[in-house]
Amino acid sequence: MIIFIIYKTVLVLLVFLISLGIAAYSTYAERKVAAFMQDRVGPDRAGPFGILQPIADGVKMFMKEEIIPS
């Protein structure tokens, strides 16, 4: 029974991470295509050819300061 739960948990995490990766790199591809259509460079600062840009975007989003009005 416990092996079944571990198996299903790993399967759910794997599907989630794959979906997250697809979403991140779809956004990267969309930004590259938009940059090409607008005759500009696009994401190119993070890693070779900007391939690490989705990771940089995720870190930036995670590190943003949360402002809660009093």
Side-chain angles (χ1 to χ4, degrees):
M1 181 67 177
I2 191 75
I3 293 175
F4 178 76
I5 293 172
I6 292 171
Y7 173 74
K8 290 299 179 180
T9 303
V10 168
L11 187 62
V12 166
L13 283 173
L14 186 66
V15 169
F16 176 73
L17 291 175
I18 289 172
S19 299
L20 194 62
I22 289 171
Y25 283 98
S26 294
T27 303
Y28 167 77
E30 186 262 336
R31 289 172 67 183
K32 284 298 246 189
V33 169
F36 174 75
M37 291 186 337
Q38 297 169 9
D39 196 28
R40 57 184 177 84
V41 177
D44 68 341
R45 302 241 190 272
F49 307 109
I51 202 76
L52 298 177
Q53 189 65 44
I55 295 169
D57 289 340
V59 169
K60 177 183 165 188
M61 183 80 97
F62 184 71
M63 300 300 284
K64 273 189 160 181
E65 181 181 354
E66 188 173 332
I67 300 172
I68 301 173
S70 57

